[in-house]
Amino acid sequence: MSDIRWGIAGPGRIAGKVAEDLALVDGAVLAAVGSRSEERARAFAETHGAPNARPHGSYRALVDDPEVDVVYIATPHPQHAELAVACLEAGKGVLVEKAFTATLAGAWRVVDTARTRGVFAMEAMWTRFQPAVVRMRELIAQGEIGEPRSVQADLGTVRDVDPTDRLFAPELGGGALLDLGVYPVSFAQMVLGTPDRVTALASRETTGVDADGAMLLAFQEGRYATLQTSFHSPSPGQARVFGTTGWIDVLPRFHHPTTIVLHHDTNDPGETIELPATGAGYFHELVEVTECLRAGRVESTVMPLDDTLAVQGVLAEAGDQLGLVFREDDAGV
C-alpha cells in the first residue's frame, strides 16, 4: 500500500516536533508544508528532514495540492475551523491541533463537514495516545480502582506578558483557557464523560486574556473534577483519578506522562508503571491517523469527534462565565 502523504499547515515550534516524529511512522511521509511564506515553508521542510516536501506560500495552495492525503493544522486557534473545513471539502483528512477551534460553533462546523463528506478528522490531543495514559485507561476499565468518582488536574507555567505573543492576544484565541485548560478538561472528560455543570473563575491579564483560573465540573451521581491552570505559577502538572477502591496518580506532566502509580490503600506505596513515549510523544497520535486512513476509517475510537465537541462545550461555557469572547478567523484560506 502506498504511503499516507501528510501536509503541515503552520510551520511553528510544535509542528517541528510533529514533523520529526512523523519521520518515525511507517507508511507516512511529509509531502508538503503550507505557510504564508514559501521561504519559511521551504526552510521548515529542510530543517526537519524533509527536503523533498513541497513548500507552499499559502494555505490555499496546500489545500489544493493533489499529492496530500491529510493535513496537520497547527495555526493559531481561530484559524483552525476555516482551514479544516477547506481541507475536508477538498477531500483531505485533518489532524487539528488543540484547542480544536476557538468556538463551539466552529467545532460543530468542522465535525458536520467531516461527517457529511465522509472524510477523516481528529483533534490532536496527544495525551490520549501516550502509552502511560493508554495503560491507565486499561486499568480503570479492568476495575482496578473501582468506579471512578473524581479527577484532579493542574497545569501551570510562567509566562511574561507580551502583547505580541499569540498567548496574550485575544484575537488569536490567547489565554490559559484554550491553551492550557483544554488539557485537564479533556482528561476529565476522558475519564468521567461529559459534565452536567461547569463553574469557572479566572484572573485577567492587561491584554484582556485569562491568566490564572480554575474549573469545577459536576457530573451525574455526584462525580466531579477540580481543574486549575495558570500563566503565573509553575504548577507540577499532575493528575489523579480517584475511584471507590483506589486511585491512580499520573505523574508530571500529566498531558504527556511516562509514569503512573496505581494505589489501593493509603498505606500502600503503590505500583509504579513506567511507559515512555516514542519520539517526542506525537508519534502515537500520528500512527493513529495514518492507520485510520489506511483502513478507511473517518473517526478515531480513541479520540472521537463527540468527545472533542464535549470538551469544546465545556471551554465555551467557561469562557462565557469569564466574559471571554472568542471568534473564528473567517478571512478565508
Side-chain angles (χ1 to χ4, degrees):
M1 186 178 292
S2 59
D3 289 338
I4 298 298
R5 301 164 300 180
W6 283 76
I8 288 179
R13 181 177 60 86
I14 299 301
K17 294 181 179 180
V18 168
E20 291 172 4
D21 273 13
L22 185 64
L24 305 176
V25 179
D26 289 338
V29 61
L30 179 55
V33 178
S35 173
R36 300 199 186 279
S37 161
E38 183 174 330
E39 292 73 19
R40 187 182 181 206
R42 180 179 292 106
F44 177 91
E46 292 175 352
T47 298
H48 298 290
N52 295 324
R54 289 177 299 284
H56 294 297
S58 71
Y59 297 133
R60 182 75 252 175
L62 176 62
V63 169
D64 292 339
D65 189 332
E67 302 300 317
V68 171
D69 302 309
V70 58
V71 176
Y72 166 66
I73 298 175
T75 56
H77 309 313
Q79 298 171 13
H80 289 180
E82 184 79 0
L83 184 49
V85 167
C87 289
L88 293 166
E89 289 179 340
K92 291 174 171 56
V94 291
L95 175 64
V96 185
E97 195 51 75
K98 88 295 290 173
F100 192 66
T101 52
T103 66
L104 180 58
W108 270 109
R109 183 180 170 214
V110 175
V111 171
D112 284 344
T113 303
R115 289 175 171 169
T116 299
R117 300 270 177 163
V119 181
F120 182 87
M122 191 183 90
E123 180 184 4
M125 181 50 72
W126 64 330
T127 302
R128 297 202 181 193
F129 300 93
Q130 302 300 304
V133 173
V134 171
R135 183 57 182 147
M136 181 200 77
R137 298 184 76 180
E138 291 172 347
L139 292 171
I140 293 172
Q142 293 165 7
E144 287 291 337
I145 61 169
E147 178 194 354
R149 296 295 302 171
S150 66
V151 167
Q152 292 177 351
D154 69 87
L155 193 59
T157 185
V158 176
R159 298 280 187 177
D160 293 329
V161 179
D162 179 358
T164 66
D165 189 320
R166 70 162 186 87
L167 293 177
F168 298 98
E171 69 276 9
L172 295 179
L177 181 64
L178 293 188
D179 204 69
L180 299 179
V182 64
Y183 287 107
V185 170
S186 185
F187 187 90
Q189 195 276 336
M190 174 183 68
V191 174
L192 298 175
T194 302
D196 299 316
R197 297 191 309 280
V198 177
T199 304
L201 58 87
S203 63
R204 300 286 278 271
E205 294 287 10
T206 55
T207 61
V209 303
D210 66 297
D212 297 346
M215 282 177 275
L216 174 63
L217 310 185
F219 302 79
Q220 292 182 351
E221 300 173 348
R223 297 171 301 139
Y224 63 92
T226 54
L227 316 173
Q228 65 184 70
T229 56
S230 177
F231 275 168
H232 293 153
S233 301
S235 67
Q238 180 164 320
R240 279 180 171 168
V241 179
F242 295 91
T244 52
T245 62
W247 73 95
I248 297 174
D249 286 333
V250 185
L251 301 190
R253 309 276 269 176
F254 80 85
H255 58 311
H256 56 112
T258 61
T259 307
I260 60 174
V261 184
L262 173 64
H263 299 269
H264 290 115
D265 186 89
T266 54
N267 297 317
D268 182 355
E271 176 189 353
T272 298
I273 301 169
E274 296 269 359
L275 288 167
T278 298
Y282 302 95
F283 167 85
H284 306 281
E285 65 180 352
L286 297 171
V287 168
E288 174 76 358
V289 176
T290 300
E291 291 182 348
C292 282
L293 289 170
R294 282 184 173 278
R297 294 191 290 270
V298 295
E299 282 194 40
S300 165
T301 57
V302 179
M303 188 65 246
L305 293 174
D306 282 345
D307 283 11
T308 291
L309 290 171
V311 170
Q312 289 292 143
V314 172
L315 297 176
E317 174 61 26
D320 286 347
Q321 291 182 22
L322 298 173
L324 303 173
V325 178
F326 298 116
R327 294 185 175 90
E328 304 295 343
D329 182 355
D330 294 326
V333 177

